[in-house]
Amino acid sequence: MAKTQHEKILDYLRDKGELSQREAYFMGIGRLASRIHDLKKAGYMIITEMREVTNADGSKSTVAFYHLLGGDEQ
């Protein structure tokens, strides 16, 4: 059975420690912030860290990186 988007996100956070929209896009998740909201509402302790990154053209953007606290809080 295929994993849900929520399961993919939780597995990735547990394995890699952080997730941004870029990685989520390659996992087939187009609306990461909405899925994070769902997970928080379900009781998972997820924090958002905003970081400034440099784009390929040299411009700057602010990107959200998500972290799961403790790994299995719910």
Side-chain angles (χ1 to χ4, degrees):
M1 183 173 177
K3 289 185 181 182
T4 66
Q5 289 186 355
H6 293 146
E7 290 169 333
K8 289 179 185 180
I9 291 167
L10 290 170
D11 287 348
Y12 193 94
L13 289 171
R14 289 177 183 129
D15 185 47
K16 305 290 185 189
E18 68 180 18
L19 177 63
S20 72
Q21 180 60 51
R22 183 173 191 266
E23 290 87 11
Y25 175 81
F26 290 110
M27 294 167 34
I29 300 167
R31 297 190 57 205
L32 178 59
S34 293
R35 300 298 71 78
I36 294 295
H37 175 77
D38 295 343
L39 290 168
K40 286 180 177 181
K41 197 172 174 182
Y44 289 93
M45 301 293 293
I46 299 173
I47 60 167
T48 305
E49 175 191 0
M50 302 303 290
R51 284 190 216 155
E52 187 175 89
V53 297
T54 303
N55 299 312
D57 66 0
S59 63
K60 304 280 185 185
S61 294
T62 303
V63 176
F65 287 82
Y66 299 98
H67 303 268
L68 180 64
L69 295 181
D72 285 316
E73 276 80 6
Q74 182 182 10

